Amino acid sequence: MTVYVVQEPAAGKNILSATDYGDIEIMLPAKENMMFSPAPTVAKIKSLLKNFNDEDYLLCIGDPAAIGVAIHYALLANQHKIKLLKWDKREYKYYPVEVET
């Protein structure tokens, strides 16, 4: 089980509770910006998510464009099914959200 974090969180943001759902794998560094040269970032995300499966989760933090690309490739890799982790501000924990397209 792996939790794919789209982009490294900003300093001070603690995502350790996401380890309840698997090992953390940060896909992009905090300063990565795909605005001027998206092809390398897209290729990296595609490569990292090629084995995304029913046991994995996607944690959507960071650049909205990178999040969109990550969701796209996770859905393609797992037959149009994805599990996301959503933060609950009241409970201070992540909840899984399953989506099938």
Side-chain angles (χ1 to χ4, degrees), residues 2-9 24-30 32 40-42 44-50 52 57-61 66-67 69-71 73-74:
T2 303
V3 175
Y4 292 94
V5 180
V6 176
Q7 194 163 23
E8 184 178 3
I24 300 283
E25 181 166 343
I26 295 174
M27 297 193 292
L28 302 173
E32 182 110 1
T41 303
V42 170
K44 183 176 184 179
I45 291 170
K46 181 180 180 181
S47 175
L48 288 168
L49 292 174
K50 68 182 177 203
F52 189 90
Y57 292 85
L58 192 62
L59 182 52
C60 298
I61 295 176
I67 290 170
V69 171
I71 289 172
Y73 283 110

Side-chain angles (χ1 to χ4, degrees), residues 41-97:
T41 303
V42 170
K44 183 176 184 179
I45 291 170
K46 181 180 180 181
S47 175
L48 288 168
L49 292 174
K50 68 182 177 203
N51 295 318
F52 189 90
N53 62 62
D54 282 339
E55 295 184 7
D56 298 327
Y57 292 85
L58 192 62
L59 182 52
C60 298
I61 295 176
D63 179 356
I67 290 170
V69 171
I71 289 172
H72 170 76
Y73 283 110
L75 285 168
L76 286 178
N78 196 37
Q79 301 163 1
H80 304 282
K81 295 182 289 184
I82 188 172
K83 291 191 287 190
L84 308 169
L85 290 179
K86 176 154 177 42
W87 181 251
D88 185 313
K89 292 184 213 178
R90 292 185 187 149
E91 299 293 325
Y92 293 100
K93 65 186 233 177
Y94 288 103
Y95 285 98
V97 176

Side-chain angles (χ1 to χ4, degrees), residues 5-21:
V5 180
V6 176
Q7 194 163 23
E8 184 178 3
K13 182 158 180 96
N14 185 339
I15 62 168
L16 286 179
S17 62
T19 59
D20 291 345
Y21 297 92

